[in-house]
Amino acid sequence: MKQPGFFDVEERLARLSGLGDQLEAFSRTVDFEVFRPDLELALAYSDGSKGGRPPFDPVLMFKILVIQTLNNLSDERTEYLINDRLSFMRFLGLGLSDRVPDAKTVWLFRERLTQAGAIERLFDRFDATLRNAGYLPMSGQILDATLVAAPKQRNTNAEKADLRAGRIPEDWQDKPAKRSHKDRHARWTLKFTKAKRQDDGTIPSSDLAIPFFGYKSHVSIDRKFRFIRKWKTTDAAASDGARLREGLLDKTNTASSVWADTAYRSKANEDFMDKEGFVSKVHRKKPHLKPMPRHIQKSNAGKSVIRSRVEHVFADQKSQTGLFIRTVGITRATMRIGLANIVYNMRRFLFLERLNASA
């Protein structure tokens, strides 16, 4: 087998471009340099006067996190594929002879950003980019939440009771290695799903309740462009409705309407929205032990046409990027979900820019 030459590599990259390299489209459309000030502030690298190997460029490292999020990769798999794939190297600006960050370096970079709480600033930075490009929050907003799975914990009933009470189980006190592998923030909940039609054509009278362990991603998207504008991470057992009053509503939206399902319908939420100047389009609940009035059924059906758009956001994150929590603790889970939200907005930005270019 002959040694690959410069023009062989260029020819292969040109072929990848012709086949539609998503990362190349990212490089053309997204200005990753806008993230540099926030990255440098969070990382607080030394000036190098004390010697030692210089750190990798923070923008390059952030782009590695984007690759990782897009493809749902572990740190070890990320290191391997950067070395293996020309498309990854081109996106990162690396040559065949350049040094590639190893898995430990990727972990340390993400961990420093996590501990600095930088993900909210990075999200806001890209949101500002979207606004500068003309994608203002418009036409109202839609709220919803989705469950995000995490590795299941094998705890005893006593340990579960301690965790729910916010205590560290006594048996873990003198075992730091065990504590580091135990997720004390993720919770069990029940995920309800519609019962499927049976072979004989009948539908069971009750829905299915499936145990689920992990976290919950709460988002608010704008109705016009469907970008995520506000978000929050909680454990899986947290109530959806209460999060509405915890910063999920975007006051900069050009319209005041708020769409959400019945989980967000409560007197406290209705009073809060009325006080803050929002117009509630939240679904109404079925009266207890009474049939749903026809006018409410019709109203809810009309709201569903708009509210269902938020489901496409979660479907994209789970089907395209395989959203899953590999880490331990809500701080790291927040970082993971925040990265997924940034990457979703980037992919949505690419789609809308292509649509505008072809119009």
Side-chain angles (χ1 to χ4, degrees):
M1 186 175 67
K2 71 174 185 177
Q3 287 292 105
F6 173 78
F7 292 107
D8 296 317
V9 174
E10 287 297 304
E11 182 179 344
R12 181 60 59 87
L13 287 173
R15 188 174 181 183
L16 287 173
S17 298
L19 292 171
D21 181 3
Q22 181 180 216
L23 291 176
E24 186 182 29
F26 267 54
S27 295
R28 286 197 308 265
T29 310
V30 178
D31 180 13
F32 283 91
E33 283 297 317
V34 301
F35 297 105
R36 185 177 294 278
D38 297 297
L39 292 171
E40 291 180 344
L41 179 64
L43 296 168
Y45 285 145
S46 67
D47 58 7
S49 60
K50 295 183 179 180
R53 176 179 286 184
F56 284 97
D57 180 71
V59 175
L60 178 146
M61 295 299 299
F62 181 69
K63 291 169 81 172
I64 289 177
L65 297 187
V66 170
I67 288 176
Q68 196 174 44
T69 304
L70 272 170
N71 298 278
N72 190 26
L73 302 174
S74 66
D75 294 336
E76 291 74 17
R77 189 65 178 167
T78 300
E79 177 189 356
Y80 174 81
L81 289 177
I82 292 173
N83 282 283
D84 182 65
R85 291 192 182 179
L86 288 175
S87 60
F88 284 15
M89 285 188 276
R90 175 168 62 179
F91 177 62
L92 299 173
L94 296 173
L96 291 174
S97 61
D98 290 330
R99 187 166 60 101
V100 173
D102 59 19
K104 183 65 173 180
T105 302
V106 174
W107 184 89
L108 287 171
F109 177 79
R110 187 178 58 249
E111 188 69 6
R112 291 189 72 164
L113 292 183
T114 301
Q115 298 307 320
I119 191 61
E120 287 84 2
R121 294 196 299 273
L122 294 170
F123 180 90
D124 291 342
R125 179 69 64 178
F126 189 64
D127 187 62
T129 298
L130 296 175
R131 293 167 188 259
N132 291 337
Y135 297 103
L136 298 174
M138 302 175 69
S139 305
Q141 55 197 297
I142 309 170
L143 274 62
D144 205 354
T146 189
L147 294 168
V148 183
K152 296 180 178 65
Q153 304 287 294
R154 306 300 178 184
N155 300 324
T156 65
N157 290 334
E159 289 171 341
K160 291 177 184 178
D162 285 336
L163 293 174
R164 283 194 293 268
R167 299 187 300 268
I168 298 177
E170 185 177 350
D171 187 46
W172 301 2
Q173 299 286 350
D174 57 349
K175 298 178 181 178
K178 183 173 184 176
R179 289 203 307 271
S180 67
H181 289 87
K182 288 292 188 177
D183 195 330
R184 304 197 301 271
H185 302 119
R187 292 289 183 270
W188 284 97
T189 189
L190 291 177
K191 180 180 180 180
F192 292 94
T193 184
K194 291 291 184 182
K196 295 182 180 179
R197 188 181 297 274
Q198 302 298 305
D199 294 337
D200 60 2
T202 61
I203 299 178
S205 58
S206 58
D207 293 336
L208 301 176
I210 303 172
F212 185 94
F213 183 80
Y215 293 91
K216 191 175 285 187
S217 171
H218 308 260
V219 303
S220 170
I221 69 169
D222 67 280
R223 179 188 173 192
K224 174 70 174 178
F225 298 114
R226 304 185 199 179
F227 286 114
I228 298 173
R229 301 293 182 172
K230 298 288 184 180
W231 61 281
K232 187 179 182 69
T233 302
T234 66
D235 64 77
S239 165
D240 293 358
R243 308 288 83 79
L244 180 144
R245 307 189 299 277
E246 296 178 357
L248 269 188
L249 294 179
D250 183 10
K251 294 184 179 181
T252 66
N253 198 293
T254 59
S256 57
S257 297
V258 176
W259 284 266
D261 62 27
T262 54
Y264 296 85
R265 168 68 68 169
S266 69
K267 186 177 187 306
N269 283 349
E270 296 299 307
D271 291 344
F272 178 82
M273 285 188 282
D274 184 61
K275 180 181 178 181
E276 297 295 324
F278 294 103
V279 176
S280 174
K281 300 287 185 179
V282 179
H283 282 221
R284 292 188 176 275
K285 298 178 181 180
K286 176 183 175 299
H288 184 58
L289 299 178
K290 294 181 181 179
M292 177 76 82
R294 179 168 292 275
H295 71 281
I296 294 181
Q297 281 185 350
K298 189 173 181 180
S299 174
N300 282 351
K303 294 172 183 176
S304 291
V305 174
I306 297 172
R307 193 208 65 80
S308 62
R309 296 174 185 175
V310 72
E311 301 294 347
H312 298 283
V313 176
F314 299 137
D316 181 273
Q317 289 183 322
K318 292 185 177 182
S319 64
Q320 298 298 318
T321 63
L323 182 58
F324 179 81
I325 302 299
R326 300 176 183 272
T327 53
V328 173
I330 195 167
T331 305
R332 295 188 181 108
T334 299
M335 181 72 183
R336 175 70 178 91
I337 290 173
L339 280 170
N341 291 341
I342 292 174
V343 168
Y344 166 80
N345 279 355
M346 288 181 176
R347 295 183 73 250
R348 182 71 183 167
F349 183 44
L350 255 65
F351 172 77
L352 293 176
E353 288 292 280
R354 285 174 182 163
L355 211 61
N356 292 335
S358 61

